[in-house]
Amino acid sequence: MTTELITDEYVQEQLNEGLRCIGCGAVMQVVDSSKAGYLPMSALKKSIDSEELLCQRCFKLRHYNEIQPVELTDDDFSRLLHQISDAKALIVYVIDVFDVTGSEIAGLPRFVGQDNPILVVANKVDLLPKLLNKNRLKNWLQVELKAQGIKPVDIFLTSATHPKNLDDLLDTIDNYREGRDVYVVGVTNVGKSTLINQIIKSGTGVQDLITTSRFPGTTLDRIEIPLADGRQLIDTPGIVKRDQITHVLADKDLKYALPKNEIKPRTYQLNAEQTIFIGGLARFDFELGERTPITAYFENNLSLHRTKLIGADDFYDKHAGELLTPSPQESTITNLIRHEFNITEKSDIVFAGLGWISIPAGIKIAGWAPQGVSVLIRKAMI
């Protein structure tokens, strides 16, 4: 149908049937530009019969890298996930191996149904040092998942950005789904939609069908992709975790928290009462213990700065946003919250969504991060 023959009534009929954005899954609408799925009537008339029907938000994100906020709450995302518990499905649980703690979904079996098998796909393995033993990583993940109450049918390591084992992943999914629908779940920015785009490209040759970006919450509703046997592969919205560092960063600074290339570990020999600033976003204090090496795992372009613990508060207030960059928008030491730990075994101190520092046993430390950003200790990954 030509644009001249498309009437408002025709468009409204299509909207009433539940027209969806191909990029984010939101139901299309022409009424409220602040809500998901909005596209002006004039633009919708031009694209309603096209194969690439995008809402205004996805269009701007895809073509201009602009992000428009929409009114979706954490409850909206949780409600969409809860719908899975009523389905008979294979759950593909995508986690970010660079941010395992930050990509955990608390109570996942309750969301997706106790009887639905869970296949864990550990994404972004290409970001970890190549020397890391993959079997050791799987064993470490098994322990972490057990602590979450998750007993996966399998753990699959991959990189959605550089998929060298995509066929193996597809075979693994087929082996476990047994005629079920497949629901892909995860928190924001773990790479779910990138992974699904690779699957679509492998099967159809179509590239970048689903909108992806480094901005949290790009997928807004479930996106259904038909499988050969009549079942569906369903991309679900990423659960927003408010304790990640990305939520206190300006959009232009997200690149410092979300690495794209293999992380280069940085090792420091520290004496007691020394501090390392992690850009202007976080801080590590070595408070008490013998001289010891620590190793930092953060995005390669995020600057680390060592100084003395005494005077560190004043140093931060003076240099945040300049020498110590990036930083939260209101950069004073009062914006960073202190978390103290006595380390009894080799561990990682994790700054949620940012990275971690590997530390030995027998020392006293403190980690600082913006209010609301989690700082915690876990068993050492590497």
Side-chain angles (χ1 to χ4, degrees):
M1 189 182 296
T2 64
T3 303
E4 294 78 12
L5 297 177
I6 294 176
T7 63
D8 290 2
E9 290 75 16
Y10 173 79
V11 172
Q12 193 58 56
E13 286 176 8
Q14 299 298 308
L15 291 173
N16 291 342
E17 292 179 6
L19 205 60
R20 288 182 180 268
C21 170
I22 193 86
C24 68
V27 177
M28 301 290 289
Q29 52 94 11
V30 295
V31 178
D32 191 338
S33 62
S34 69
K35 293 187 176 179
Y38 175 76
L39 191 64
M41 177 65 81
S42 58
L44 186 52
K45 282 184 176 180
K46 293 178 182 177
S47 57
I48 194 166
D49 289 330
S50 74
E51 293 182 357
E52 190 177 281
L53 179 58
L54 297 172
C55 67
Q56 187 176 74
R57 178 177 180 270
C58 280
F59 183 86
K60 288 187 175 182
L61 186 54
R62 187 170 294 193
H63 295 285
Y64 303 107
N65 206 33
E66 293 179 16
I67 187 70
Q68 288 182 301
V70 295
E71 294 180 358
L72 278 182
T73 67
D74 291 356
D75 288 341
D76 292 325
F77 288 107
S78 296
R79 174 182 50 77
L80 287 162
L81 261 192
H82 264 302
Q83 296 172 2
I84 303 174
S85 63
D86 296 327
K88 184 180 179 183
L90 171 67
I91 310 303
V92 175
Y93 176 28
V94 184
I95 60 175
D96 178 348
V97 289
F98 182 70
D99 185 26
V100 172
T101 309
S103 58
E104 293 173 353
I105 300 177
L108 179 69
R110 185 180 73 254
F111 278 119
V112 301
Q114 298 286 348
D115 296 329
N116 284 331
I118 298 174
L119 169 65
V120 172
V121 174
N123 190 27
K124 306 185 185 181
V125 71
D126 56 316
L127 299 180
L128 299 180
K130 287 187 173 64
L131 293 177
L132 177 61
N133 182 280
K134 298 303 188 291
N135 287 327
R136 185 182 186 282
L137 176 58
K138 276 192 174 185
N139 291 335
W140 182 88
L141 286 169
Q142 196 88 41
V143 173
E144 289 289 305
L145 291 161
K146 185 178 179 180
Q148 299 177 42
I150 295 173
K151 296 179 180 178
V153 293
D154 205 347
I155 297 174
F156 194 94
L157 306 178
T158 193
S159 164
T161 306
H162 308 289
K164 297 178 181 177
N165 56 355
L166 185 61
D167 288 341
D168 291 339
L169 174 58
L170 294 175
D171 289 342
T172 301
I173 290 172
D174 270 341
N175 286 341
Y176 289 114
R177 76 183 185 91
E178 298 176 341
R180 300 178 177 94
D181 288 332
V182 179
Y183 282 81
V184 186
V185 304
V187 306
T188 55
N189 288 117
V190 295
K192 290 186 305 88
S193 296
T194 301
L195 184 66
I196 290 177
N197 274 337
Q198 294 289 5
I199 292 172
I200 294 170
K201 180 182 175 183
S202 172
T204 68
V206 177
Q207 295 193 43
D208 301 327
L209 182 66
I210 298 172
T211 301
T212 61
S213 78
R214 59 159 57 100
F215 302 111
T218 302
T219 301
L220 300 178
D221 207 333
R222 52 190 277 166
I223 299 174
E224 300 179 352
I225 298 101
L227 297 173
D229 62 357
R231 309 305 295 182
Q232 303 277 346
L233 175 70
I234 300 158
D235 185 17
T236 62
I239 294 292
V240 178
K241 293 196 71 173
R242 299 293 175 188
D243 66 338
Q244 292 178 309
I245 197 79
T246 50
H247 295 289
V248 301
L249 278 174
D251 290 345
K252 66 181 178 60
D253 292 330
L254 287 171
K255 61 187 177 184
Y256 293 105
L258 303 173
K260 289 193 171 183
N261 299 306
E262 180 187 351
I263 296 299
K264 306 300 181 185
R266 286 174 269 184
T267 299
Y268 298 83
Q269 292 287 339
L270 292 187
N271 295 313
E273 299 190 3
Q274 285 191 305
T275 289
I276 293 179
F277 282 105
I278 304 155
L281 295 172
R283 165 178 158 183
F284 170 80
D285 294 343
F286 176 27
E287 296 187 344
L288 188 63
E290 298 295 323
R291 178 177 172 83
T292 189
I294 62 95
T295 303
Y297 298 85
F298 298 98
E299 209 288 326
N300 298 325
N301 292 315
L302 181 60
S303 63
L304 305 184
H305 190 91
R306 176 165 49 178
T307 188
K308 293 181 179 179
L309 178 57
I310 187 168
D313 290 3
D314 292 338
F315 186 87
Y316 183 84
D317 284 344
K318 181 178 180 181
H319 295 292
E322 297 174 358
L323 177 64
L324 304 177
T325 188
S327 61
Q329 292 169 349
E330 298 293 330
S331 302
T332 65
I333 195 63
T334 56
N335 293 110
L336 299 185
I337 307 300
R338 181 176 179 273
H339 307 260
E340 181 181 302
F341 306 96
N342 287 298
I343 307 304
T344 58
E345 64 174 340
K346 184 180 178 183
S347 304
D348 296 332
I349 178 170
V350 179
F351 303 85
L354 187 63
W356 73 92
I357 296 175
S358 180
I359 48 181
I363 63 175
K364 180 182 177 182
I365 64 167
W368 302 64
Q371 177 131 19
V373 175
S374 290
V375 179
L376 48 87
I377 297 295
R378 70 183 184 195
K379 185 176 180 180
M381 174 191 281
I382 298 175

